[in-house]
Amino acid sequence: MDKRIVVLGDIHFPYENKRAIQRSIEYIKLVKPTHVVQIGDLYDQYFASRYSKNVNFTTPEKELGESFKRASVMWEQIRKAAPQAKLLQLLGNHDCRLHKRIQEKLPEIESLIKLPIQNLYTFPGVQTVFDSRQEVQIADILFHHGYLSQLGAHVKKYNKSIVVGHSHHAGVHYHKHNNKTIFEFNVGFLADKKALPLNYGEAK
């Protein structure tokens, strides 16, 4: 059976690009994919950033509550748009921010918060890969949030065709390996680049 895979790039709820999300769902309904993969950075977790931030901008409760609400609505719409598709949620580096801050500051309670954090990424009918280091393979293609910024770096490291996000820059890089052409496809992102938490500055 041919596989039709739709991959949603970094969303950074609750700072998503609403128009881009809606158009993605319309596309899913049109093409009827066999798989829908959200490539990670579902949430932004701005409040848990270790970088300089505006502490008055939001609260953990408000940001996580709104993020989970919006992500739940998105996955519900996707289930209705593609009821036969296998749905996969990966985790990215932003999804791990809260966990990492707890590991750094208060490792004694790590076991207490593991389940509540996982519940934020649990949606009906969606398979979640809770280890952000773990890739998923569909047919002969790997899917991973990514951690390298240069386009083509992942395909050279894995020596397999791979789909990633992370850098927020969409593009395709082809690579020769064992007389075979493989690729890296970066799916870009579906966030609102004008939102304060995504305003990384000119250098970024």
Side-chain angles (χ1 to χ4, degrees):
M1 173 180 164
D2 289 338
K3 293 183 171 53
R4 297 181 305 283
I5 306 166
V6 172
V7 185
L8 303 177
D10 303 21
I11 298 175
H12 293 265
F13 281 122
Y15 314 113
E16 77 279 16
N17 182 324
K18 293 179 176 63
R19 183 168 178 265
I21 297 290
Q22 194 54 48
R23 290 191 67 180
S24 298
I25 293 168
E26 291 168 1
Y27 181 75
I28 288 168
K29 188 174 183 179
L30 177 68
V31 301
K32 296 179 172 52
T34 57
H35 297 74
V36 178
V37 181
Q38 201 286 312
I39 205 73
D41 281 4
L42 180 68
Y43 303 152
D44 188 79
Q45 296 193 17
Y46 174 71
F47 69 90
S49 169
R50 63 182 174 87
Y51 302 106
S52 177
K53 57 184 176 289
N54 182 344
V55 296
N56 298 314
F57 181 71
T58 189
T59 65
E61 182 180 23
K62 180 180 178 182
E63 185 178 351
L64 286 177
E66 192 62 29
S67 296
F68 179 70
K69 177 182 174 183
R70 296 185 192 189
S72 297
V73 169
M74 180 195 74
W75 276 121
E76 181 181 3
Q77 291 176 330
I78 290 172
R79 284 200 315 275
K80 290 179 180 177
Q84 304 302 318
K86 182 173 183 178
L87 310 179
L88 291 161
Q89 175 65 64
L90 307 187
L91 266 60
N93 55 302
H94 279 251
D95 298 310
C96 299
R97 276 179 162 179
L98 174 58
H99 189 207
K100 286 183 177 179
R101 297 298 84 80
I102 290 171
Q103 284 180 319
E104 292 166 0
K105 306 288 186 182
L106 202 59
E108 299 85 2
I109 70 164
E110 182 180 358
S111 61
L112 297 177
I113 56 87
K114 183 177 181 180
L115 184 58
I117 289 177
Q118 287 187 348
N119 288 342
L120 290 170
Y121 295 89
T122 301
F123 309 98
V126 181
Q127 177 186 338
T128 301
V129 180
F130 291 105
D131 187 345
S132 63
R133 301 166 297 178
Q134 180 65 47
E135 69 275 358
V136 170
Q137 184 166 330
I138 303 172
D140 58 349
I141 303 172
L142 297 179
F143 295 81
H144 190 280
H145 176 67
Y147 50 93
L148 304 170
S149 296
Q150 185 177 357
L151 183 63
H154 293 93
V155 70
K156 292 173 185 175
K157 181 175 179 66
Y158 287 89
N159 286 317
K160 285 188 176 181
S161 291
I162 186 168
V163 178
V164 297
H166 184 60
S167 74
H168 296 183
H169 296 288
V172 181
H173 176 87
Y174 294 97
H175 179 66
K176 282 283 190 182
H177 178 67
N178 291 338
N179 295 319
K180 181 180 178 183
T181 300
I182 55 178
F183 65 85
E184 176 177 325
F185 176 32
N186 189 304
V187 295
F189 77 129
L190 298 172
D192 178 5
K193 64 182 179 181
K194 295 180 182 178
L196 173 64
L198 290 154
N199 186 7
Y200 300 132
E202 289 301 319
K204 180 63 176 177

